[in-house]
Amino acid sequence: MSQTREFRRGEDVVVIHDSGRPDGPHYVLVHGLGMAHDYWAELAVVLEADGRVHALDLPGFGDAPEPREPLSMPAAGELLAELLVAEGFDRVVLVGHSTGAQVVSETAAKHPELVDRVVLIAPTVNPRERTLAKQTMRFLQDIALVHPKALWYGVSLYAKAGPAWYAANLRPMLDHRIELVLPEVTAPTLVIRGEHDRVVPRDWAEEVARLVPDGRYAEVPGRGHETMIRAGRRVGELIVRHARALPAGRPVALVEPPPEGRPLGVPAALGAMARDYAYAGVRQLAWLGARHEPRAWRRGEPGKPQVVLLPGVYEHWSFMRPLGDALNAEGHRVVVVHGMRANRRPIAETAARVAKALARSAPPPAGRVIVAHSKGGLIGKHVLIDDEGELLGIRGVVAICTPFAGARRARLFGDPSIRALLPSDATIVMLEDAASVNARIVSIFGTFDPHVPDGSALEGATNLQVPVAGHFRVLAAPETSAAVLAGIGLLTAVG
């Protein structure tokens, strides 16, 4: 049960709603313009199990009385800092939504000694749209898609604050230059955005994560500006993982995986490896006579994105034919990049070749999705990072069994094309640091992968686990086809 108390500084009053366990981090939740502590309810349930939750009502909102004048964002940040000192909180995780992110950023930048970690959910204001007219238009676009639950919260809280007080607080929001504050935030920072957020476009949210020296980005599928109202549990899990310095992405099983803590025994692992390599040997024979992809792959439904297949190292495009056939049967046109041969060239060079090949034709109206295996997923991520990514119409990458953090067992091989997958390789390090594109990646992996022992889960991406053991056999499993189709749907969903 929550407890309520007030913090006062002159005429400014902040109402603090406490809940959760006494140990663990202190989660301080700062609402956005016109909102109050109420809309954190679902998210707070997750945080309460991990630490102490302090949901605030800023001056003039929720249960806090209205002062004579609204606070500027720097002043609100100072007020929050004074509250943290007065309350004696330690291990503070500051969580701000929308304009609350602006307040939190000010506190974290000016008083780094008070803050352990920062979470910015749907941070405003996009500097390219810093006008009242543009922000009003974006708000109307977002509310047109909003869920009734979120709409009810918004209407009731806006009515409680009153239109005059809401309007008075618009100017401080628009005047604030958060992009100048973010580089001064030294605490590890997680930026969370709803996939369909019209107020905070993806490029701006990704830029926020880049502006913070230690910033990371995560995106919640199917949600808008109100993401923590409708996806409170998912956002709460992201925050807890960030507070505990764990990766933001977590495996989401399409079917029930084997119980955790019970890895395959040696006989079972050896059997899985034998079946995996036997399958790989058979598929390598498909290279013989596979000069051109099937004619049927050229046909598909115009409303579905084109699929670009990228194989792994020592793999010809024909290695992925079973998956290509399955995607084509579901209405996708499937293309391959000729000239890759056994895919032994460096990742950056191959990514440039892929981009050049795709640039020869205009992207279809529904765009393109790269579906890649192993090293192919690293190449696909490199293409996303490159400037040409947007021009090529690439909506995202579905990567299967990809060593995003490198493959430590590559050290057992003398071949430079395999040793280039070592975690210490400069390209692997660069790709791992480029987290801003991870929200446009779906990573699929099985229950046991001898080639990627450290796993293929990617922070900030959508991670899907399928109930198949191996590095190669996964490609032919019907569960993988279903996961790839689901991943394409997530990457190309239109709000």
Side-chain angles (χ1 to χ4, degrees), residues 176-259:
H176 186 240
R177 302 288 298 275
I178 189 175
E179 67 273 19
L180 302 181
V181 178
L182 292 170
E184 301 177 21
V185 176
T186 57
T189 300
L190 175 64
V191 180
I192 302 176
R193 173 185 177 270
E195 178 188 13
H196 304 314
D197 192 337
R198 297 295 188 268
V199 179
V200 180
R202 177 180 287 134
D203 60 348
W204 164 239
E206 291 176 341
E207 185 177 343
V208 169
R210 287 193 297 269
L211 286 170
V212 180
D214 189 3
R216 298 178 178 182
Y217 178 79
E219 190 162 292
V220 179
R223 297 295 182 261
H225 197 64
E226 83 302 343
T227 182
M228 27 28 102
I229 297 178
R230 292 186 56 213
R233 290 191 175 276
R234 173 57 177 147
V235 175
E237 289 166 357
L238 288 170
I239 294 172
V240 169
R241 295 184 71 84
H242 179 61
R244 297 194 173 276
L246 297 172
R250 69 184 174 95
V252 180
L254 294 183
V255 297
E256 190 66 25

Side-chain angles (χ1 to χ4, degrees), residues 2 102 396:
S2 66
Q102 296 173 258

Side-chain angles (χ1 to χ4, degrees), residues 121-319:
I121 306 172
T124 51
V125 174
N126 177 10
R128 290 175 286 277
E129 299 182 347
R130 191 182 279 116
T131 66
L132 180 59
K134 181 64 76 170
Q135 287 299 303
T136 300
M137 182 191 73
R138 289 300 191 192
F139 176 77
L140 293 175
Q141 287 177 334
D142 194 80
I143 205 170
L145 301 171
V146 81
H147 189 271
K149 175 183 176 182
L151 184 61
W152 181 86
Y153 267 116
V155 170
S156 60
L157 291 173
Y158 279 121
K160 189 173 184 178
W165 183 243
Y166 174 81
N169 280 270
L170 283 172
R171 181 46 56 191
M173 177 192 81
L174 294 172
D175 287 344
H176 186 240
R177 302 288 298 275
I178 189 175
E179 67 273 19
L180 302 181
V181 178
L182 292 170
E184 301 177 21
V185 176
T186 57
T189 300
L190 175 64
V191 180
I192 302 176
R193 173 185 177 270
E195 178 188 13
H196 304 314
D197 192 337
R198 297 295 188 268
V199 179
V200 180
R202 177 180 287 134
D203 60 348
W204 164 239
E206 291 176 341
E207 185 177 343
V208 169
R210 287 193 297 269
L211 286 170
V212 180
D214 189 3
R216 298 178 178 182
Y217 178 79
E219 190 162 292
V220 179
R223 297 295 182 261
H225 197 64
E226 83 302 343
T227 182
M228 27 28 102
I229 297 178
R230 292 186 56 213
R233 290 191 175 276
R234 173 57 177 147
V235 175
E237 289 166 357
L238 288 170
I239 294 172
V240 169
R241 295 184 71 84
H242 179 61
R244 297 194 173 276
L246 297 172
R250 69 184 174 95
V252 180
L254 294 183
V255 297
E256 190 66 25
E260 291 187 6
R262 295 178 55 191
L264 292 178
V266 173
L270 291 176
M273 291 173 66
R275 291 190 294 273
D276 202 40
Y277 291 130
Y279 171 83
V282 171
R283 286 310 313 161
Q284 288 289 14
L285 295 176
W287 192 341
L288 302 175
R291 295 184 59 185
H292 299 288
E293 61 270 33
R295 287 182 177 273
W297 285 10
R298 303 176 188 175
R299 299 185 297 273
E301 300 174 23
K304 293 187 176 182
Q306 183 187 71
V307 169
V308 181
L309 292 184
L310 293 183
V313 66
Y314 279 107
E315 295 175 7
H316 185 254
W317 66 262
S318 56
F319 199 90

Side-chain angles (χ1 to χ4, degrees), residues 350-412:
T350 308
R353 286 172 174 261
V354 169
K356 184 178 180 180
L358 295 179
R360 293 192 184 106
S361 60
R368 294 168 167 143
V369 172
I370 293 175
V371 175
H373 178 237
S374 194
K375 177 186 174 183
L378 300 172
I379 296 168
K381 181 174 181 178
H382 205 298
V383 174
L384 282 184
I385 297 169
D386 293 341
D387 292 337
E388 292 97 341
E390 293 293 330
L391 299 176
L392 298 174
I394 297 172
R395 308 290 295 276
V397 174
V398 178
I400 305 164
C401 299
T402 292
F404 286 109
R408 50 188 167 87
R409 287 180 181 167
R411 70 180 185 277
L412 303 176

Side-chain angles (χ1 to χ4, degrees), residues 68-90:
R68 285 177 294 179
E69 298 291 336
L71 293 170
S72 67
M73 293 301 160
E78 286 300 317
L79 178 63
L80 176 57
E82 292 182 26
L83 182 151
L84 297 179
V85 173
E87 294 292 330
F89 296 156
D90 59 355

